[in-house]
């Protein structure tokens, strides 16, 4: 008889922690998932979402067989077919659409459902060969990444471990206790040694509750706050002149801009008073061992990339990029970098095709010239996660659109499929996982055989390519082949380590990290404070206007600002099936509750010019007057109230993009509140 075994793996979800996981297997069945004690960052602990993952893994919601639609679009009625039949149908229809309308009328849509590098990009070689439209993968970190790159170039973020020795930790626009829980261990240890914790956020989130000081800021007010602090540091002569001299360019351009800023402008834009800004500058000056953790959440508005630029400029002026005990700045670690050609095979593309920003999926399916005729979704649930999702659903209803969805569970998007295909989870396939909140990486094998007839993204696209008659070598290779080749190309792997060792499960710590040391060492680029002289894009870090929040036409109708941060029990929309029928809550300030005549616990409809979404009111001073906060991407809930057909929270968010990078403005929607009678 087989005995119980423990198999190591990694969490594949889109979360900065990328935890080491141990799966206990008993007679071919996984009986528990727990944290890997040998993983230096995870330290034996995983979040409650993942501890409950087996409910999802073995749930009746799992898609286990290929199916084709028999009901109306979106109804979710299917009949089972064989993989052979499904692949033939997919290949025939995609080739037909290409012949009749051109490759550009086919859009692959994918994101971060599975962060394993091989499976995440598994569709790319196929779609490049087919010559489809290209997807701009902008939904998450495009704005923050573009902002960071503009100033920091190739500089990596500092190791989170540095924070242990900090005297001051600033958590800026990220709910660490919910979306980056393992960073908290360093904060807690530093606090025990006397460090101060400051949280800067528009609402008092769970992390702010544990802070020594919480600074409520206006949404998108971060550039004003960062530059205000810098203004005081300059007045007091407290910037790091040696870092500025040796590792940066263009400081004088930023300095003159900051000196010209008036306090009234800084206070108006940031929503933080001059006294508080001076106090914050003082704290930073008094505690040189400062660590700033920057979140991506603060970049999801039309000033978002600039916010990242301003905060990183402040960090650079303080010399925090040089690292050292207790010092640092971290947005994303960029710990490993492999050759993307191995994953995506751009070289198979013979012609350049139109690129469609994923944020504009609703438009691409409805109003865009030469509308899409086929959509292939994997690793994503656009009907829930994409902004302006009612327009996405409207597009998915089109009879002349052929939709393939490769999924693990029956998501709101899966219900619209013409062909629905079963996907494996990380427990049933092999891949490599690199963290973006730490410096570790490892390969995990399948823990058990695939459930039902589920196939990994890799296997599905290899088979579809062969079915389409593509015979390039890349479509013959195995997952192990691609993985080996990719690992061999990886920057950040220490020279003493072999690919075979990584394939065998060795946990790798990136050589790009200099824990406690000088992170600028080894990187050629200098920090760019301002890029005025001779630059084709002569913009220095500066204050921008606030997009939708300044539109008088909308403000007159929809006076409340809405932000939509993550929820502790959901990972974007993943795990939504566990909360079927739940709408989630919306935090409303007591003054607004009185104005809109709603009470704690009441059901309301949040509404604007794009759509409606139902939520349960939580009246609290955790939010500011005029700001409502809806945590979590609960799955759309059918609403029978006449005239109030309401979907998920993304029915309210817009397809407008950020100031740089073409990212989503999820935290910049104006809404009104409609009380529901009960
Ligand atoms: N439990 C859980 N964990 C997750 C996720 C999840 O859905 N659930 N999602 C994962 C993913 S894909 C990502 S990208 C990361 C997201 O991680 P990050 O975006 O780095 O962090 P969030 O916790 O989303 O940050 C949201 C915080 O930013 C605040 N915020 C919003 N606008 C502003 C602003 O203009 N200024 C400032 N200062 N703050 C602002 C919000 O109020 C909220 O507290 O988390 C990952 N981890
Ligand atoms: N309003 C609002 N909207 C947001 C955000 C927000 O803060 N507010 N956050 C945004 C952010 S940061 C992100 S990253 C996006 C995330 O958007 P998505 O990447 O779409 O994230 P998920 O909701 O986790 O959906 C992933 C889907 O992929 C499936 N999946 C997982 N593994 C595999 C696999 O191996 N193969 C296949 N075929 N499928 C798999 C899962 O079952 C799940 O349904 O959402 C964004 N949407
Ligand atoms: S979701 Fe994040 S915290 Fe939870 S197990 Fe996965 S990587 Fe770890
Ligand atoms: Mo994300």
């Amino acid at each position: 008889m087989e005995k119980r075994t423990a198999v190591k793996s990694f969490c594949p979800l889109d979360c900065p922690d990328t935890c080491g996981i141990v799966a206990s297997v008993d007679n071919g069945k996984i009986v528990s998932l727990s944290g890997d004690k040998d993983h230096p960052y995870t330290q034996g602990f995983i979040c409650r979402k993942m501890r409950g993952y087996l409910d999802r893994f073995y749930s009746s919601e799992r898609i286990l067989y290929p199916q084709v639609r028999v009901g109306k679009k979106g109804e979710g009625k299917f009949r089972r077919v064989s993989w052979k039949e499904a692949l033939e149908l997919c290949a025939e229809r995609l080739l037909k659409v290409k012949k009749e309308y051109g490759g550009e009328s086919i859009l692959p849509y994918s994101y971060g459902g599975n962060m394993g590098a091989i499976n995440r990009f598994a569709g790319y070689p196929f779609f490049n060969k087919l010559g489809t439209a290209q997807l701009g993968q902008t939904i998450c970190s495009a704005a923050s990444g573009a902002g960071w790159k503009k100033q920091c170039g190739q500089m990596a973020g500092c190791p989170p471990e540095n924070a242990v020795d900090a005297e001051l930790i600033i958590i800026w626009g990220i709910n660490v206790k919910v979306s980056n829980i393992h960073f908290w261990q360093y904060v807690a240890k530093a606090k025990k040694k006397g460090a101060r914790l400051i949280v800067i956020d528009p609402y008092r989130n769970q992390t702010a509750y544990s802070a020594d000081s919480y600074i409520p800021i206006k949404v998108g007010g971060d550039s004003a706050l960062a530059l205000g602090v810098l203004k005081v540091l300059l007045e007091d002569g407290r910037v790091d002149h040696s870092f500025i001299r040796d590792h940066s360019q263009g400081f004088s351009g930023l300095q003159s801009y900051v000196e010209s800023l008036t306090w009234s402008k800084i206070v108006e834009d940031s929503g933080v008073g001059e006294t508080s800004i001076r106090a914050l500058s003082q704290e930073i000056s008094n505690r040189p061992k400062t660590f700033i953790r920057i979140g991506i959440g603060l970049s999801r508005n039309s000033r978002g990339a600039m916010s990242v630029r301003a905060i990183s400029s402040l960090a650079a002026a303080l010399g925090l990029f040089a690292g050292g005990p207790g010092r640092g700045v971290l947005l994303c670690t960029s710990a490993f970098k492999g050759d993307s050609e191995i994953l995506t095979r751009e070289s198979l593309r013979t012609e350049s095709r139109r690129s469609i920003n994923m944020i504009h999926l609703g438009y691409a399916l409805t109003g865009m010239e030469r509308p899409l005729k086929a959509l292939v979704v994997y690793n994503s649930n656009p009907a829930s996660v994409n902004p302006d999702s009612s327009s996405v659903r409207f597009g998915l209803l089109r009879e002349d659109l052929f939709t393939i969805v490769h999924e693990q569970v029956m998501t709101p998007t899966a219900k619209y499929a013409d062909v629905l295909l079963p996907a494996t989870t990380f427990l049933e396939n092999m891949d490599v996982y690199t963290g973006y909140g730490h410096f570790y990486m490892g390969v995990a094998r399948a823990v058990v055989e695939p459930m039902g007839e589920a196939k990994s993204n890799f296997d599905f696209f290899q088979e579809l390519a062969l079915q389409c008659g593509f015979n390039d070598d890349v479509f013959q290779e195995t997952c192990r082949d691609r993985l080996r080749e990719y690992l061999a190309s990886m920057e950040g792997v220490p020279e003493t380590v072999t690919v075979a060792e990584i394939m065998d499960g060795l946990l790798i710590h990136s050589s790009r990290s200099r824990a406690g040391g000088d992170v600028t060492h080894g990187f050629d680029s200098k920090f760019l404070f301002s890029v005025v002289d001779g630059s084709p894009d002569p913009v220095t870090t500066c204050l921008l206007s606030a997009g939708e929040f300044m539109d008088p036409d909308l403000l007159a109708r929809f006076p409340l600002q809405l932000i939509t941060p993550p929820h502790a029990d959901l990972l974007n929309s993943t795990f939504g099936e566990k909360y079927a029928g739940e709408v989630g809550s919306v935090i409303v300030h007591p003054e607004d509750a009185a104005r809109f005549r709603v009470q704690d616990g009441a059901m309301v409809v949040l509404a604007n010019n794009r759509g409606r979404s139902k939520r349960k009111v939580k009246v609290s001073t955790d939010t500011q007057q005029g700001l409502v906060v809806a945590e979590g991407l609960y799955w759309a809930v059918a609403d029978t109230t006449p005239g109030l057909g309401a979907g998920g929270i993304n029915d309210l968010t817009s397809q407008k993009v950020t100031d740089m990078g073409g990212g989503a403005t999820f935290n910049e929607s104006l809404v009104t509140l409609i009380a529901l009678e009960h």
Side-chain angles (χ1 to χ4, degrees), residues 448-460:
V448 287
E449 289 296 309
M451 299 269 289
E453 293 180 6
K455 284 190 198 292
S456 68
N457 298 357
F458 181 87
D459 288 342
F460 163 47

Side-chain angles (χ1 to χ4, degrees), residues 20 36 46 55 61 64 68 104 129 187 310 343 385 396 418 432 485 520 527 586 602 613 654 658:
D36 181 357
I46 54 172
D55 296 344
E61 293 284 318
L64 296 176
V68 295
E104 290 190 335
K129 177 76 184 176
V187 181
L343 303 180
V385 306
L396 289 172
D418 292 299
V432 59
E485 199 188 339
T520 61
F527 189 90
V586 59
S613 187
S654 89
T658 50

Side-chain angles (χ1 to χ4, degrees), residues 1-12:
M1 207 176 92
E2 237 184 280
K3 60 177 188 334
R4 192 179 271 220
T5 50
V7 187
K8 289 198 179 192
S9 186
F10 296 92
C11 177

Side-chain angles (χ1 to χ4, degrees), residues 315-372:
L318 290 163
L320 299 182
F321 279 87
R327 286 165 64 78
V329 52
L330 174 62
L331 171 70
C332 172
T333 50
S334 315
F336 299 92
K337 192 168 174 288
D339 178 1
S340 62
E341 168 66 14
I342 296 163
L343 303 180
T344 64
R345 302 287 168 184
E346 286 300 320
S347 54
L348 288 173
R349 187 172 280 277
T350 50
E351 289 167 74
S352 74
R353 298 286 183 189
R354 68 173 164 175
S355 174
I356 293 177
N357 185 338
M358 66 196 297
I359 302 305
H360 298 150
L361 181 65
Y363 172 50
L365 289 174
T366 54
M368 195 177 272
E369 216 176 299
R370 292 181 293 134
L372 297 173

Side-chain angles (χ1 to χ4, degrees), residues 12-14 53 56 109-115 119-120 139-141 296-297 300 358 377-382 384-387 405-409 411-413 421-426 429 436 455-457 460-461 562-566 571-575 577 630 632-633 635 649-651 653 664-667:
L13 300 181
D14 190 352
Y53 190 83
R56 178 174 193 270
Y109 187 103
S110 67
Y111 203 67
N114 177 345
M115 294 292 278
N119 283 290
R120 183 170 177 201
I139 203 163
C140 175
S141 57
I296 308 174
R300 300 193 174 112
M358 66 196 297
V377 179
Y378 64 103
N379 262 4
S380 189
N381 175 17
S384 301
V385 306
N386 213 88
V405 179
H406 184 226
E407 246 303 349
Q408 298 166 337
V409 292
T411 60
T413 308
L421 300 165
T424 49
T425 67
F426 74 110
N429 59 240
Y436 60 93
K455 284 190 198 292
S456 68
N457 298 357
F460 163 47
F461 285 111
L562 167 72
I563 59 170
T564 61
L571 198 296
N572 300 320
S573 73
T574 299
F575 301 109
E577 73 284 352
L633 302 180
W635 289 5
I649 202 71
N650 272 322
D651 279 24
T653 56
T665 51
F666 288 122
N667 292 325

Side-chain angles (χ1 to χ4, degrees), residues 11 13 15 17-19 21 45-47 49-50 181-182 571:
C11 177
L13 300 181
C15 168
D17 292 20
T18 310
C19 289
I21 287 186
F45 174 67
I46 54 172
C47 69
K49 301 183 291 297
M50 219 45 203
I181 55 171
H182 292 84
L571 198 296

